[in-house]
Each structure stands twice: as C-alpha cells, then as structure tokens.
Amino acid sequence: MRPEPRAGRTGHWRVALREFGVIVAGVLAALGAQAWWESSQEREREREYLRQLLSDTRENERRLDDAIALDSTTDWAVRRLAGGLYGPGPLPPPDTLLAWFGDRTFSSSGFQPLSGTYGALLAAGDLRLIRTDSLRARLVAYAARLEHEQAMLRFFLEQAFDEPAAVARPMPFLRRLVFGPRVPGLAASIDFERMRRDPEVEALLFAVQIANLNRISHLRDLREETRRLRRALEAEPSLRRERARR
C-alpha cells in the first residue's frame, strides 16, 4: 500500500482539532453560563437577606425606642415615689402615695428583638453571600451582642423582682394594687410613716431604681449598635441601586 500523503494527514488533524476546539468552547460556554446563573442566584439571595436584615434592624430600633421610653417612665416614677417618701418635709397625702405605688414604679419593658434572620444567616452558612467584609464582621458581632444584651436585661430584671415575696413583705398592700379589686379606704389604712422609716422598703426602691437604670443604659448602648448596623445596611450598593430604581 502506498502511504497516505502528508497533506492528507495534516488535513485530518486540522479537522480533529477544530472539532475538539468546538467541543471545548461549548463546554466552557456551558460552564460559564452555569457559573453566571449560580452567581446571579447568589446575588439575589444576598439582596433578599439584606432586605430582610434591614427590615428587622429597623424594627429592632423601633422596639428599643419603645423599651427605653417605658423604662425611662419607670425611672421617673421610682424617683417621684422615693422623693415623696424620703424627701424633706411631710409625706404627700396617702391617696397620692398609693397612686404612685400603683403607677409604673414596679414595671419594666419587655424588649423582644427580631433575631431570626441573623441566626439563619449564620446557621445556614450563608454569611459568605454578604460580599462586604466589614458588614459580615458587623453582623456576626451584632448577633452575639443581641444575645448577650438579652441575657443582661433578664439579669437586671431578676435583680429587682426575682423574689416577689421580698417585695410584698414590707408592702403587703401591693398585692391588692396588682390583683385588685381596690378596697375603699385602702390608702388610709397604710402606715406610710412607718414605711418611711423601714430600711427594707428603702433598699427595695433603691434596688429597683438601680436595676432599671442599668436596663436603660444597656438598651441605649444596644440601640446605638443597632443604628450603626442599620446605616451599614442602608449603605450597601445593591440596596441603594434597588431604592434608586423605585
């Protein structure tokens, strides 16, 4: 047999290389399209997380405002009662003192933050979707701060009210104020002068005031951290572009 001419063999190689190149190009195009699709999906998931995080953070800021306002009212009520009992001069009228005891003196806010989105972002391993490094770090720190502050707020509440009997013992009329019904002439039956000299009552009111002031301080610190997180979320480019399109 005569050997195949060199030109013929070269032509076959060229055809094979062209076919191989077309296959490789097709594979690369498919991989590129898949990578683009996956990236597009991840960007949409990131935007959805950012939208929900921003919504939750704004709501937490609102709840913190409400809690601070309520606990500040309690602080004012405790100061008013303590001033009436231990200030110079005669005691206020019994009905007035009883009304002050029944006000927000022994109340406390019940701050309950929205934390599900922060937890889901960390637990599902989706933190990687957040492309801004500083925001990722802030989200991790905020989730930990939120958990810590909730524990501290419970601790301060327990400091003042962990033993209801300790509150009711020197001031048994509080049961009637809380559970009612109000007995006519109740104020006149209470020896407020004796209560004024009772160190247990003074210590109790002091403990309530200190615990409440600690709560307000921690709530304010948490509000500042929440505001910083809210501003960081609002500054995210994808959310800014989304707001600009509306």
Side-chain angles (χ1 to χ4, degrees), residues 3-42:
E4 184 178 351
R6 175 177 291 274
R9 290 199 299 271
T10 302
H12 288 317
W13 277 109
R14 287 175 179 171
V15 171
L17 286 172
R18 279 198 301 271
E19 291 176 350
F20 179 74
V22 169
I23 293 171
V24 170
V27 170
L28 292 176
L31 290 174
Q34 182 179 359
W36 175 86
W37 173 254
E38 290 176 353
S39 177
S40 176
Q41 291 295 101
E42 287 190 346

Side-chain angles (χ1 to χ4, degrees), residues 33-181:
Q34 182 179 359
W36 175 86
W37 173 254
E38 290 176 353
S39 177
S40 176
Q41 291 295 101
E42 287 190 346
R43 296 290 71 81
E44 180 55 36
R45 288 175 64 196
E46 179 197 33
R47 280 192 295 273
E48 182 56 35
Y49 267 121
L50 291 173
R51 284 192 291 265
Q52 191 58 52
L53 285 167
L54 180 56
S55 175
D56 290 358
T57 303
R58 285 172 172 167
E59 174 61 18
N60 283 341
E61 187 176 348
R62 186 193 67 78
R63 294 185 183 189
L64 283 162
D65 286 340
D66 289 346
I68 291 168
L70 287 172
D71 284 346
S72 296
T73 302
T74 296
D75 177 58
W76 176 81
V78 176
R79 289 175 185 274
R80 180 182 60 179
L81 178 59
L85 279 176
Y86 305 113
L91 287 172
D95 286 333
T96 299
L97 282 171
L98 185 63
W100 290 353
F101 270 102
D103 202 359
R104 287 197 55 86
T105 305
F106 297 101
S107 300
S108 178
S109 65
F111 172 64
Q112 293 295 328
L114 294 176
S115 58
T117 307
Y118 310 113
L121 184 69
L122 300 177
D126 286 341
L127 189 63
R128 61 181 179 79
L129 298 174
I130 308 300
R131 287 172 289 176
T132 305
D133 294 342
S134 59
L135 181 58
R136 282 201 309 272
R138 189 176 293 278
L139 286 168
V140 172
Y142 184 77
R145 177 74 179 272
L146 204 58
E147 184 176 353
H148 170 73
E149 292 300 341
Q150 283 184 278
M152 291 303 297
L153 291 172
R154 285 193 298 270
F155 170 72
F156 293 133
L157 191 62
E158 290 167 359
Q159 266 190 326
F161 302 110
D162 193 34
E163 297 183 25
V167 178
R169 184 173 54 251
M171 297 173 288
F173 60 90
L174 287 179
R175 292 193 183 95
R176 188 58 57 88
L177 283 178
V178 173
F179 300 108

